[in-house]
Amino acid sequence: AAPGDDLAARVAEAETLAAGAETLAALAAAQEGFDGIELKKGARNFCFSDGNPGARLLILGEAPGDEEDRQGRPFVGRAGQLLDRMFGAIGLARDAVDAEGAFYIINVLTWRPPGNRDPEPHEIAMSLPFLRRHIELAAPDLIVLMGNIPCQAAIGRRGILRLRGNWTEAFGRPALPMIHPAYLLRNPAAKREAWADLLSIAARLDDPKP
């Protein structure tokens, strides 16, 4: 891990870069240019986002995997295909043009960790300033915290099987922890809980804004 002083300096640099970005394009350029995260050296592609940035629903994933690293887009492997089917079941698509029917996907980390290992705490710390600004600029109504790493980054807690299905607040917005599609591929029995969570999201989106 990066030593404490060095890490604090890198996080401060990330905060300055993120705060200076007035648009998503500017933020992407600033984050891609940031050299504080060692992962950048080993990754093939910068993985900023996918879907409609104007969408009311934002899905926060963990980090790029092999297929994501290859394509430079989050959630495009097998788990991503399942994600598309899951949200398609409540009438949402990442490529929908209208904000009502779309979703937007970002990850806690924009560079792939080697061997798809979990992100380290210092990697999350350096990514958080960009993540916060990304969510401010996209301004979704609701956030889905897809798995343990997003829960750790957004609400400081892990234990997705306990957290799932319970609405909380992340980045100043209503947020729902959900089981990651990769877990569902290995444990199909958990799809029942995932379906309950999808219905809960659909109900929230149908609610007129307070």
Side-chain angles (χ1 to χ4, degrees), residues 60 62 108 118-125 128 131 145 147-160 163 171 177:
L60 179 59
E62 304 189 349
V108 174
D118 276 358
E120 306 262 349
H122 71 273
E123 292 164 350
I124 294 174
L128 261 174
L131 178 57
L145 303 173
N148 269 319
I149 301 300
C151 288
Q152 184 182 329
I155 58 175
R157 293 170 67 197
R158 290 182 74 125
I160 192 65
L163 294 170
F171 307 104

Side-chain angles (χ1 to χ4, degrees), residues 26 64 134 163 165 167 185:
H134 201 151
L163 294 170
W167 285 92
L185 288 170

Side-chain angles (χ1 to χ4, degrees), residues 66-106:
D66 187 51
E67 195 55 42
E68 288 76 17
D69 184 39
R70 193 173 289 127
Q71 293 190 34
R73 289 162 54 215
F75 274 111
V76 288
R78 279 184 69 214
Q81 291 159 15
L82 177 55
L83 179 96
D84 285 336
R85 289 201 298 276
M86 285 164 60
F87 284 88
I90 56 167
L92 300 179
R94 69 170 90 190
D95 54 2
V97 181
D98 65 303
E100 294 295 318
F103 58 90
Y104 185 53
I105 312 175
I106 66 177

Side-chain angles (χ1 to χ4, degrees), residues 139-208:
D141 291 349
L142 305 176
I143 298 173
V144 172
L145 303 173
M146 200 59 91
N148 269 319
I149 301 300
C151 288
Q152 184 182 329
I155 58 175
R157 293 170 67 197
R158 290 182 74 125
I160 192 65
L161 298 179
R162 285 192 313 281
L163 294 170
R164 66 139 290 272
N166 299 299
W167 285 92
T168 181
E169 189 178 281
F171 307 104
R173 299 162 201 279
L176 184 68
M178 267 188 85
I179 296 168
H180 196 284
Y183 180 88
L184 298 178
L185 288 170
R186 295 192 302 269
N187 302 274
K191 285 183 181 172
R192 207 174 58 199
E193 282 98 337
W195 178 238
D197 293 344
L198 288 167
L199 293 178
S200 181
I201 291 163
R204 276 280 178 124
L205 288 169
D206 282 346
D207 253 6

Side-chain angles (χ1 to χ4, degrees), residues 14 16-18 20-21 24-35 40 46 130:
T16 304
L17 286 168
L24 287 170
L27 182 67
Q31 188 167 11
E32 189 170 8
F34 173 66
D35 287 329
K40 180 177 173 178
F46 175 65
F130 297 110

